[in-house]
Amino acid sequence: MRLNIINLTKRFGSHVVLNKTSVHIDNVNTLVIIGPSGGGKTTLLRIIAGLESPEGGTIEVNNHPIPTDTEQDIEHSPIMRAYRKKIGVVFQAYNLFPHLTALQNITLPLIKVHQLSEQEANDRATHLLSRFKLGEHAHKKPFKLSGGQKQRIAIARAISLQPEYLLLDEPTSALDPEFTSEVLEMIEELKHQTDIIIVTHHLGFARSSADHMFFVSNQKILENGHPNDIFDRPQSPELKNFFSKVLAH
Amino acid sequence: MKISRFIKYSPQTKWYHSLTNGLTVLTLFAVLFYISVQSYGQAFRFSILLEYKNLFLEGFSRTILLSIISLCGSIFLGILIALGQLSHIIFFRVFSKIFIEIIRGTPFLVQILVFFYIIANFFQLENRFVGGVVMLSMFSGAYVAEIFRSGIESIGKTQRETAISLAFTPFQTFVYIIFPQLIRQILPPLAGQLVSLVKDSSLLSIISIREFTLAAREVNTSTYSTLESYVPLAIGYLLLTFPISMLTKTLEKKFKYET
């Protein structure tokens, strides 16, 4: 994946979340974004996901700029919808549809948005569920599943769309600790299939799995580099401070 | 004694338990009622029921018709007003809010009188039945609108946003994601409102719409048998509302899932 961010700015009202931040990376498969809460990392991911429009600046992924639509809002814009079709997003709180079974959660977007036949969608979903050992849960509704199972199904839903890249927003932070590893293992496995951008607090995962990292704080991408550099040679006082707080426990 | 012992935690009641207990309670009510009637000093004259059978049945069927048409009307109006409340256009929002506040804040009886003697008169609406349907639809529609609005709002931003992130169109989002969840949310209050609507239709008797209540009143006027006129009325309304409650329970089970 190639990512080129130029002067990116995002405000919510008078509150500035990202302020003219720029970065350029190339040949990255797994990008991990870390940083303190409220630092702007989730907003950065949501802009890449086409769920927020920036006030200024541009982002290019693989040499294609993320489109903006000045005419219509995010929800109604066909341009933005066409862009979102190409990517997969996983949210912190799983966000499965509670009235549908695990299988239907995966097949509904395939059938309605990606125009697969019911048979094709079912085959693809069933295959994915069994690959991630979720086959026995295919016909259960979300309230019968554990947090870990729900999040794995949400990830399977995102990956079933065969996205150009997969975006994950703190996929383990709503989980009980015993379910964290099953979700992280699944993400680890998907690395070989697609490019991944993930916001996480799991520094262990970041160190072992990332081939590039962003540290986002104070409305900017303050540091970016290989995990070894980020962990062993933090430059800014903000990153040193962040590590001292997070690693103290 | 602990209060918690009275509260049922598991829904494992067998149907025959419900039936036997139900019959016991009904018998208890019947006995109590019988004793009260005895002390009232008059025997219940069934002959009056037979004699005025046609009048009762006519009123009863009129009430059913009135309720069904008004139900459709109030759901249609309710959806329109709920959408008005959620609209981007301020005029629609304000209009819907004021409409709801006026209807919910004043007694139906007063609305009937004002509507019938002033508004319907102005529009030269002669047909009382049509007038009744319009009034009942507006009255019930205001409540239905609130049910729809709170239902739509309760489904939450995250569901909508997930649908957006999966590239559903706003229309698809409504049809496949919001609406199925909305049905489950609003079914119980909507059924409650339907039961109210059936009962509220009795107030239309004051403008001489010949529905069930007016029929009973006419029987009472000609026979001076209050009990024989109004007990069938109560039973008749129960016959209408009880199946609605039962149907709702079935539908609730069908749409059941936890969030």
Side-chain angles (χ1 to χ4, degrees), chain A residues 77-103:
Chain A
S77 160
I79 304 171
M80 298 305 288
R81 192 156 53 242
Y83 169 72
R84 286 192 296 262
K85 264 174 100 165
K86 299 188 299 179
I87 54 177
V89 185
V90 175
F91 297 93
Q92 184 176 347
Y94 339 123
N95 297 12
L96 293 178
F97 301 125
H99 60 297
L100 301 177
T101 63
L103 188 78

Side-chain angles (χ1 to χ4, degrees), chain A:
Chain A
M1 178 172 45
R2 192 186 168 96
L3 188 64
N4 198 10
I5 300 177
I6 305 158
N7 284 333
L8 190 70
T9 301
K10 176 71 192 170
R11 279 187 297 269
F12 292 108
S14 61
H15 178 63
V16 181
V17 188
L18 291 168
N19 191 10
K20 290 193 174 171
T21 191
S22 301
V23 75
H24 176 79
I25 57 169
D26 206 348
N27 263 331
V28 169
N29 170 232
T30 307
L31 171 66
V32 171
I33 305 175
I34 58 167
S37 303
K41 55 190 190 311
T42 290
T43 306
L44 175 61
L45 192 82
R46 287 173 58 86
I47 294 173
I48 302 176
L51 292 171
E52 306 277 358
S53 357
E55 262 77 44
T58 53
I59 302 185
E60 283 172 19
V61 189
N62 300 332
N63 296 332
H64 296 293
I66 294 177
T68 45
D69 192 336
T70 46
E71 302 285 312
Q72 279 173 305
D73 60 31
I74 291 279
E75 188 179 351
H76 293 89
S77 160
I79 304 171
M80 298 305 288
R81 192 156 53 242
Y83 169 72
R84 286 192 296 262
K85 264 174 100 165
K86 299 188 299 179
I87 54 177
V89 185
V90 175
F91 297 93
Q92 184 176 347
Y94 339 123
N95 297 12
L96 293 178
F97 301 125
H99 60 297
L100 301 177
T101 63
L103 188 78
Q104 291 166 333
N105 260 283
I106 301 176
T107 55
L108 187 71
L110 288 176
I111 297 169
K112 300 300 173 192
V113 180
H114 296 260
Q115 264 97 42
L116 263 66
S117 73
E118 211 157 304
Q119 185 63 44
E120 287 171 306
N122 266 322
D123 288 349
R124 196 188 283 187
T126 312
H127 174 76
L128 267 174
L129 287 174
S130 58
R131 176 178 157 198
F132 294 108
K133 299 179 184 63
L134 291 161
E136 55 182 307
H137 307 301
H139 298 289
K140 289 181 188 166
K141 292 205 171 152
F143 75 93
K144 293 221 164 134
L145 302 166
S146 75
Q149 289 161 348
K150 277 190 264 198
Q151 190 60 297
R152 278 155 61 212
I153 286 161
I155 296 173
R157 177 172 68 185
I159 208 75
S160 75
L161 312 169
Q162 300 176 339
E164 259 182 51
Y165 37 97
L166 182 65
L167 309 174
L168 303 109
D169 183 16
E170 303 194 26
T172 56
S173 37
L175 296 176
D176 290 332
E178 72 258 38
F179 298 128
T180 308
S181 60
E182 62 185 70
V183 171
L184 291 179
E185 277 162 26
M186 182 174 177
I187 298 168
E188 180 71 41
E189 200 181 325
L190 290 173
K191 264 173 53 176
H192 312 292
Q193 197 175 327
T194 182
D195 289 332
I196 291 176
I197 304 179
I198 173 171
V199 170
T200 185
H201 292 299
H202 264 272
L203 296 183
F205 174 81
R207 181 149 208 173
S208 65
S209 297
D211 46 20
H212 202 90
M213 285 176 75
F214 284 174
F215 171 66
V216 179
S217 180
N218 292 354
Q219 305 149 4
K220 288 206 188 281
I221 300 167
L222 277 186
E223 295 199 27
N224 86 90
H226 192 271
N228 287 343
D229 295 328
I230 295 278
F231 281 102
D232 300 334
R233 288 174 287 280
Q235 307 292 318
S236 60
E238 284 88 353
L239 182 53
K240 287 176 191 161
N241 187 25
F242 178 71
F243 278 146
S244 72
K245 275 185 191 154
V246 178
L247 297 174
H249 303 291

Side-chain angles (χ1 to χ4, degrees), chain B residues 23-38:
Chain B
L23 286 175
T24 314
V25 172
L26 281 178
T27 316
L28 203 70
F29 276 136
V31 168
L32 253 172
F33 186 69
Y34 180 75
I35 295 170
S36 319
V37 171
Q38 287 300 311

